[in-house]
Amino acid sequence: KDLGDGFSKQRACRVRAFAVDALRENEWTKVYEGAAIGAAKVIRLDRKVKADRLRLRITEASEPASLYLITVSDSATRTPR
């Protein structure tokens, strides 16, 4: 949304629903389903997932999704600061 100053824009949440799938033994399995990706989204799974690949599926959006960065980490092996 244009804020009218010729420069600033307010970003609207475009992604209304999404899913994360894991590829294991040549088969995609849904491991997470969620709603609304805003400025940042952190997903914590209730179990460890081992996969050859992950994919993000946008299942509902108000406009084409615009994602800047996706990262995956294993928080169980992260050393505390």
Side-chain angles (χ1 to χ4, degrees):
K1 173 176 141 185
D2 191 340
L3 297 180
D5 63 3
F7 176 74
S8 301
K9 291 202 182 266
Q10 180 179 4
R11 299 187 187 274
C13 179
R14 296 179 179 188
V15 176
R16 295 185 176 155
F18 68 96
V20 177
D21 302 327
L23 180 65
R24 295 178 278 207
E25 298 177 8
N26 294 319
E27 186 175 327
W28 288 103
T29 304
K30 181 169 45 178
V31 294
Y32 187 86
E33 193 169 35
I37 298 176
K41 183 72 173 184
V42 175
I43 299 170
R44 289 187 172 81
L45 302 177
D46 59 353
R47 59 184 164 73
K48 193 170 190 165
V49 174
K50 187 170 183 175
D52 298 317
R53 294 180 184 200
L54 294 174
R55 83 175 162 194
L56 172 66
R57 288 185 295 117
I58 306 300
T59 57
E60 184 182 342
S62 60
E63 296 181 48
S66 176
L67 301 173
Y68 176 73
L69 178 68
I70 297 175
T71 62
V72 177
S73 64
D74 183 354
S75 61
T77 60
R78 184 173 165 230
T79 54
R81 293 182 183 190

